[in-house]
Amino acid sequence: MTISFDSSLLTSYYNAKAGVAGASASSSGASSSSTSSSDKTNSPTGSDTAPRAPWNSSTADADENSLVTRILSGHKFIDSSSQSSIEGASPDYNKLFSLYQGMSALQGLAQKAKDGKLSDNALAQVQRRFTAGMKEVDAYISDTKFDHVNLTEGTLTKELKNTVGVAKTNTTYTADAISTGSASSSVKAFEGDVQFKMTIKKTGTATPFEVNIDLSKMPTGQTRSMSNVVSFINDKLKEQGLSTKFAVNRTPAQPTTQTVNGKSVTIASGQDSYGLQIKGVSYEQVTFSAPDTSDAVYVMQTTGDPTKKITSTSKTSTDSTTSSTTTSSTDKTKSTDVTSSLMKFQTTDGAQGTALADPISKVGDKYWVQGESEQTALPDTVANVRQSVAGADGSVYVLADVNGTVSSQDIKGTQDVALMKYDSAGNLVYTRTLGASETATGYNMAVSSDGKVAITGSVTGALDISQTTTRTYGTGSTAVSSTSTSNVSTTGASPTTSDSFVTVLDSSGVEQWTQRRGASAEDEATAVAFGADGSVYVGGRTKSTMPGASGGQVGSWDSYLMGFSGDGKPAFTTQGGTTGSDTVANIVVNGNTVYTSGVENGDAVVKSYTIGSATSTDANGVSTTKTTATLASSRDLGGIGGGNISGMSLYNGKIYLGGSAGSDKLLASGTVTHGYSGGYDAYALSIDSNLANTGTDTIAYFGGTGVEKDAKVQFNNGTAWIAGSTTGELNGTTMLSTATKAQDGYLAKLDIATGTGTVVARFTGTDGKVTPNAIAVAPGASSVLDRLGLPQGKLLYTDSNQITAGTSVRTGDQFYMVDPDSGVKKTITIDANETLDTLAKKIVRASGYKLDVSVSKVLGKQQNQLDIKPANGSSKMEFVAGPTGRDALAGLGLEPGIVSSTAGSLMDSKAVDYLKSQKNMGLDFDTSLTLNSDSAISNALDKLAASIKGVQRVYTYLKYGDPQESDSKTKGNGSGVAPAYLTSQISNYQAALARLSGGQPTSTASLLLGG
């Protein structure tokens, strides 16, 4: 006797278990156009009829290729015109298949973008259509109502926590490790004359405590070990009744391993390392100082060969601000071993007190050289550093472009601008991101005498800014002024055109104001400076007329100068230049005179403007006073040979300029104290501040046998400090690396008056390739504290708790909350001073008290985060991303989706009638997907594949109903509960098998059910 079995039963069973519709059990014939469920009670549609899923078609791949072709020719992504002819089928299927079509088109475009053979124009077209499709599919998901399911773009969860935290009080300061081996061993950093002072201001006391530490006062013969020194310091603190304490911070040994024959082999066990740790209290403010100091120079560098590809690896980085650890995987096809770091060098300049002992290397320093006192790795996501400026307390500000999460802050677009402040010991004080929706680049930065910071650059796409408007009603003595603040989302002339921006932050790093000023064509802000009254001056270049400027465009790029009041109101704009390409590189302010330097049509040019005012009266007798900028003088210093001007200073009545030059044409009529060596040399020059040729013009070049292009120059009291790279002999020093096409970094000092140049340090790095990209001179910032890993100045225990300071979210960014039952939609807008606590209250109120929202500590991090839960068993609320370019969810690290007490359950906790109610289901559709890079394309393909599986799960539910398993149970798990109709068919199958096998059905049933 022969019995035939329908193999599609088994296929259907496993598809049902996975929650993905494959070849259906009831569509075993290739020509079948519908499926039929034998158990109507489980299907929420109340019908046993369902059209075949398009992904089950044998022509699915060909259909997708045809679809992509139509999309690229301008067809819509969502086509709702095709309707199922299957009588009795739910309309939900048609809507679902339209959604599937849109997602398949997006997936097809992403796959096409992955083709490395596409031309730039073809790729740009694919990217444009993908962006349009994302908006179209997003709108369809939001606007389409289903009869039997409630779809959300995101996920279903019982609890929602944001992944981006906001800083909380942290009274522990951990210094770099300075010794290895044992806490009782002698420490080199403690040798010699080690003296410093702690000034501690205690809350409630008028006079601060002074604690003088002098290790020569330790007991005679006692070893200067970590343990003994910490005990000595703590005794001094305890004597004055202070609660602040020092501790020994031990870092366990990290074994060195190597993979041999597929197995990890330990080569060296490593040693424990030790550093100082300060355990402070919130009511004691600690300030460090030292009796002997000298100047320091910070150099920002990149090291590594950008052409060398490396395999996918995991990197772990620690955020000094939050003590959080992040592990990220590099992209296998794009990653190189290029990294960025900050180096601090101790100089002999500006010495106060006795001569400082030479710096020593700390645990973990790489490629350390004599004179280097600090080495700090910058975040892996730093793509470029263009500027650094030293603070009055010895700290250093770093302006960087970042292409990913930085200091636990997620960026919105493909690139953002980050301002990072490091203390004099190299510990991160804070990070601030601009919050651009698409891309932004930082070009320049200035720090005022009272600690304000101004950053400038270019931005493309939307950027929310807080705008203050003052209106005056009436005239004369009866005039009344009204001031209002509103949040404005600014966009450029086109999505691909950059605009200039300037942002000013206070001394705590909290944004005060931002202005975006854009012409109709491309423009960018490349220079910035503060005036003594708090005004801000911005210079840059533009391809069309800037707002407020008179006259038309002169050359391909015109230079411009803009002024802003201390509170961010535009004051004036002046624009001009040659018929060639012009820009402003630097600005220096002296009273009511503003100096600019830049390159105009290949020549170095210095200009001075007189800042004044002009009053006009309108027909109603209302007087208006405006700030003016009048060009007072201009001087062409000659050809720069394709070089740059990277530094500018005003000192003792002279203007100083520095950079690199590709010719000897600069200041040809002046005195040359050291000649041009050929190729590209660094240079420094001085001219009279009235810009006239008084016969005292002086220039000195600095170069060797190699190439010294793109030198970074800063001045301190007329002395030029130069950071750059070289490929050969330089001032008596030779190449350190023997790598192919090696490039050393160097730090040098140049006396313009004598032409004497001194190489202070020469250094190498990974692959023998080093490129210094910014320099900052910090007067008095070197001391014995550097050896100990301790900072000068105040220890800051508390960072800003404002959301706009600790995340990439900007004032005015939004997200939505939608009640799945009523459809009521509430908008949540981030205010200027918003904190997690105030936001939590907003969310609770907007939910109609259906949610419980608390602010909790992030385990292992010095951060707080939101914790959102349903208030009761029936509560549910959907979180939806805000407008494109203004979405607050992404910046907060909140996933779109539905918060529900029944999320993840097989059925609602109540007896849900699927014929009358909707089931909440998530699609995991990421609205931020782009095709702007190889990694973005790979991410889009992965995310879209997951979303399409979400669509298939919805189809399975519409056909078979619940119970279904969640993904977490079906992945790698063979057990589960089959739908009722399938259980019945399996029973019949089991009985047939039992007759064949002699009556042992149990094991066979167990096999089928995964038992």
Side-chain angles (χ1 to χ4, degrees):
M1 177 180 178
T2 302
I3 299 178
S4 298
F5 296 100
D6 185 355
S7 62
S8 64
L9 282 174
L10 207 56
T11 303
S12 181
Y13 168 65
Y14 281 113
N15 283 335
K17 277 163 61 68
V20 178
S24 175
S26 46
S27 58
S28 56
S31 62
S32 176
S33 61
S34 67
T35 61
S36 178
S37 170
S38 61
D39 188 344
K40 297 182 182 180
T41 59
N42 260 13
S43 174
T45 66
S47 171
D48 61 355
T49 304
R52 168 183 285 181
W55 49 86
N56 284 341
S57 169
S58 60
T59 62
D61 291 339
D63 291 343
E64 182 175 291
N65 291 332
S66 175
L67 178 60
V68 170
T69 301
R70 293 199 305 273
I71 291 298
L72 288 175
S73 66
H75 283 253
K76 288 186 175 182
F77 285 74
I78 302 292
D79 181 8
S80 303
S81 61
S82 59
Q83 300 292 320
S84 170
S85 60
I86 306 302
E87 186 176 351
S90 170
D92 280 1
Y93 289 110
N94 293 324
K95 300 172 185 176
L96 193 65
F97 294 163
S98 294
L99 178 57
Y100 171 78
Q101 172 188 294
M103 288 187 176
S104 295
L106 290 171
Q107 188 180 48
L109 288 175
Q111 192 63 50
K112 194 172 187 67
K114 195 176 181 179
D115 183 359
K117 298 179 181 178
L118 283 182
S119 67
D120 290 343
N121 288 338
L123 178 59
Q125 183 191 13
V126 171
Q127 291 170 331
R128 286 194 297 271
R129 292 300 292 148
F130 186 86
T131 300
M134 287 294 295
K135 293 179 180 178
E136 188 176 335
V137 173
D138 179 25
Y140 186 79
I141 297 172
S142 300
D143 299 340
T144 303
K145 302 302 179 185
F146 289 77
D147 295 332
H148 304 287
V149 290
N150 178 38
L151 294 188
T152 176
E153 291 175 344
T155 59
L156 301 180
T157 180
K158 292 182 179 180
E159 184 177 9
L160 186 62
K161 291 184 178 181
N162 63 316
T163 57
V164 177
V166 174
K168 70 181 185 65
T169 300
N170 177 22
T171 57
T172 299
Y173 182 96
T174 302
D176 288 343
I178 55 176
S179 71
T180 58
S182 167
S184 59
S185 302
S186 178
V187 177
K188 184 175 178 60
F190 296 150
E191 295 177 0
D193 183 17
V194 179
Q195 298 183 54
F196 64 91
K197 180 172 68 176
M198 288 182 284
T199 303
I200 302 179
K201 179 66 170 64
K202 196 171 185 177
T203 301
T205 59
T207 304
F209 296 84
E210 291 190 354
V211 182
N212 292 293
I213 304 299
D214 183 352
L215 296 192
S216 68
K217 301 296 178 63
M218 291 177 65
T220 303
Q222 189 177 62
T223 301
R224 292 189 184 183
S225 64
M226 295 297 301
S227 299
N228 290 339
V229 168
V230 164
S231 295
F232 176 75
I233 296 173
N234 283 338
D235 287 343
K236 295 293 184 182
L237 292 165
K238 188 176 180 181
E239 285 174 6
Q240 301 205 40
L242 297 167
S243 299
T244 298
K245 294 181 180 180
F246 273 61
V248 178
N249 181 58
R250 169 182 168 270
T251 302
Q254 298 294 320
T256 302
T257 62
Q258 185 173 338
T259 302
V260 179
N261 295 328
K263 294 183 178 181
S264 180
V265 178
T266 299
I267 299 175
S269 58
Q271 289 183 307
D272 293 348
S273 57
Y274 301 88
L276 295 174
Q277 189 175 69
I278 303 167
K279 295 187 174 181
V281 291
S282 59
Y283 51 85
E284 291 179 355
Q285 175 64 65
V286 182
T287 301
F288 285 94
S289 61
D292 304 324
T293 64
S294 66
D295 295 349
V297 179
Y298 292 99
V299 176
M300 264 48 62
Q301 68 164 7
T302 56
T303 176
D305 184 356
T307 66
K308 178 182 176 181
K309 305 299 180 182
I310 59 174
T311 57
S312 181
T313 58
S314 293
K315 292 185 177 181
T316 301
S317 58
T318 301
D319 187 331
S320 303
T321 306
T322 62
S323 299
S324 63
T325 300
T326 304
T327 301
S328 59
S329 295
T330 58
D331 186 290
K332 195 170 185 177
T333 60
K334 293 291 288 183
S335 293
T336 67
D337 53 5
V338 174
T339 58
S340 300
S341 62
L342 178 160
M343 298 188 296
K344 180 181 180 181
F345 292 92
Q346 176 181 304
T347 77
T348 58
D349 288 36
Q352 296 184 1
T354 59
L356 298 180
D358 289 336
I360 60 173
S361 64
K362 296 183 176 64
V363 178
D365 283 354
K366 296 180 179 180
Y367 305 104
W368 182 85
V369 294
Q370 191 71 27
E372 184 181 352
S373 60
E374 181 57 46
Q375 193 178 105
T376 302
L378 299 182
D380 288 343
T381 52
V382 168
N384 203 349
V385 174
R386 288 188 177 86
Q387 186 60 283
S388 61
V389 177
D393 58 354
S395 60
V396 62
Y397 299 83
V398 178
L399 184 65
D401 298 337
V402 293
N403 54 23
T405 301
V406 57
S407 299
S408 299
Q409 297 183 32
D410 294 335
I411 66 172
K412 298 176 182 175
T414 57
Q415 179 175 289
D416 206 355
V417 175
L419 170 67
M420 295 174 283
K421 180 180 180 180
Y422 291 88
D423 66 23
S424 63
N427 272 333
L428 184 65
V429 178
Y430 67 66
T431 298
R432 303 290 186 252
T433 49
L434 179 66
S437 66
E438 296 295 337
T439 184
T441 300
Y443 287 117
N444 218 316
M445 167 176 51
V447 179
S448 69
S449 58
D450 58 354
K452 292 188 182 72
V453 183
I455 62 175
T456 57
S458 65
V459 59
T460 301
L463 179 71
D464 290 345
I465 63 174
S466 180
Q467 181 170 293
T468 301
T469 303
T470 302
R471 291 183 173 88
T472 302
Y473 304 91
T475 59
S477 60
T478 61
V480 177
S481 294
S482 174
T483 301
S484 60
T485 301
S486 58
N487 299 315
V488 179
S489 180
T490 64
T491 55
S494 76
T496 57
T497 300
S498 64
D499 286 342
S500 304
F501 80 86
V502 55
T503 293
V504 173
L505 305 96
D506 67 14
S507 57
S508 299
V510 176
E511 183 181 337
Q512 299 301 288
W513 55 267
T514 292
Q515 280 285 358
R516 177 180 188 156
R517 307 287 284 176
S520 58
E522 185 179 0
D523 57 88
E524 55 194 27
T526 54
V528 64
F530 282 100
D533 60 353
S535 55
V536 177
Y537 300 93
V538 176
R541 62 178 190 163
T542 177
K543 287 187 173 180
S544 60
T545 304
M546 292 293 289
S550 58
Q553 187 75 8
V554 179
S556 58
W557 284 98
D558 275 3
S559 61
Y560 71 77
L561 176 68
M562 296 189 294
F564 298 89
S565 62
D567 58 359
K569 294 184 178 65
F572 69 83
T573 301
T574 180
Q575 177 177 332
T578 68
T579 56
S581 179
D582 313 321
T583 190
V584 175
N586 299 276
I587 300 175
V588 171
V589 182
N590 182 32
N592 66 341
T593 301
V594 175
Y595 295 94
T596 68
S597 63
V599 178
E600 296 189 356
N601 202 24
D603 286 2
V605 176
V606 181
K607 297 178 180 180
S608 68
Y609 295 83
T610 301
I611 306 302
S613 61
T615 302
S616 60
T617 304
D618 63 17
N620 297 321
V622 178
S623 296
T624 303
T625 301
K626 294 183 178 180
T627 302
T628 60
T630 304
L631 180 62
S633 58
S634 177
R635 184 174 177 189
D636 190 323
L637 303 181
I640 202 167
N644 68 347
I645 304 174
S646 58
M648 182 179 184
S649 174
L650 174 65
Y651 178 69
N652 277 352
K654 290 185 177 294
I655 293 290
Y656 291 84
L657 296 182
S660 60
S663 73
D664 60 354
K665 305 301 182 184
L666 262 178
L667 214 59
S669 61
T671 300
V672 181
T673 57
H674 193 282
Y676 171 71
S677 66
Y680 278 92
D681 278 0
Y683 73 87
L685 63 84
S686 66
I687 60 174
D688 197 273
S689 60
N690 64 13
L691 306 191
N693 187 349
T694 61
T696 60
D697 297 345
T698 307
I699 184 169
Y701 291 94
F702 185 80
T705 60
V707 177
E708 290 81 40
K709 190 175 183 180
D710 199 22
K712 308 302 179 184
V713 181
Q714 291 294 313
F715 294 91
N716 185 33
N717 297 335
T719 297
W721 285 93
I722 308 170
S725 61
T726 182
T727 59
E729 181 275 338
L730 182 64
N731 203 35
T733 65
T734 57
M735 291 295 294
L736 297 175
S737 174
T738 59
T740 304
K741 296 182 179 179
Q743 181 175 287
D744 285 353
Y746 70 86
L747 173 65
K749 182 171 66 171
L750 179 61
D751 186 317
I752 302 173
T754 65
T756 302
T758 305
V759 175
V760 175
R762 183 163 180 155
F763 41 93
T764 186
T766 306
D767 301 323
K769 293 189 180 298
V770 176
T771 303
N773 39 40
I775 182 175
V777 182
S782 285
S783 73
V784 71
L785 292 168
D786 292 348
R787 294 167 63 94
L788 309 180
L790 298 175
Q792 289 191 38
K794 291 182 180 179
L795 287 187
L796 299 178
Y797 293 147
T798 305
D799 193 8
S800 172
N801 65 350
Q802 293 184 15
I803 289 174
T804 53
T807 73
S808 62
V809 175
R810 294 191 59 79
T811 300
D813 283 359
Q814 299 175 333
F815 64 87
Y816 305 115
M817 293 170 57
V818 180
D819 188 325
D821 295 328
S822 65
V824 173
K825 183 178 183 180
K826 298 288 184 67
T827 301
I828 304 296
T829 302
I830 305 300
D831 293 329
N833 299 317
E834 198 83 75
T835 66
L836 289 182
D837 290 309
T838 60
L839 180 58
K841 293 175 182 177
K842 276 186 179 180
I843 293 173
V844 170
R845 287 195 297 267
S847 74
Y849 299 90
K850 292 183 177 181
L851 297 175
D852 284 334
V853 186
S854 60
V855 178
S856 59
K857 297 178 182 178
V858 182
L859 185 63
K861 299 182 181 181
Q862 297 299 326
Q863 291 181 329
N864 293 325
Q865 69 179 11
L866 291 174
D867 190 356
I868 306 172
K869 299 178 182 178
N872 53 60
S874 61
S875 296
K876 51 182 176 285
M877 187 63 60
E878 181 175 7
F879 286 79
V880 180
T884 301
R886 301 177 61 192
D887 173 38
L889 282 188
L892 287 167
L894 284 169
E895 290 288 340
I898 293 179
V899 179
S900 170
S901 58
T902 59
S905 301
L906 297 182
M907 287 188 176
D908 197 290
S909 57
K910 298 181 180 180
V912 177
D913 182 353
Y914 285 100
L915 298 178
K916 297 180 180 179
S917 66
Q918 292 180 321
K919 178 182 176 65
N920 295 321
M921 301 191 75
L923 294 174
D924 293 331
F925 182 67
D926 186 346
T927 59
S928 65
L929 298 179
T930 68
L931 303 180
N932 295 336
S933 66
D934 287 352
S935 58
I937 292 169
S938 297
N939 179 59
L941 285 168
D942 292 342
K943 293 290 184 67
L944 287 169
S947 296
I948 287 174
K949 285 185 179 180
V951 171
Q952 293 171 336
R953 281 193 295 270
V954 176
Y955 176 79
T956 302
Y957 167 70
L958 291 175
K959 280 178 62 177
Y960 307 127
D962 270 327
Q964 297 182 65
E965 287 189 314
S966 64
D967 286 347
S968 61
K969 291 184 179 181
T970 59
K971 289 177 181 177
N973 187 349
S975 62
V977 181
Y981 87 96
L982 192 53
T983 303
S984 175
Q985 293 187 13
I986 289 174
S987 296
N988 294 333
Y989 193 10
Q990 176 187 7
L993 286 175
R995 289 193 295 272
L996 287 175
S997 58
Q1000 293 184 357
T1002 303
S1003 60
T1004 307
S1006 297
L1007 174 65
L1008 287 172
L1009 292 173

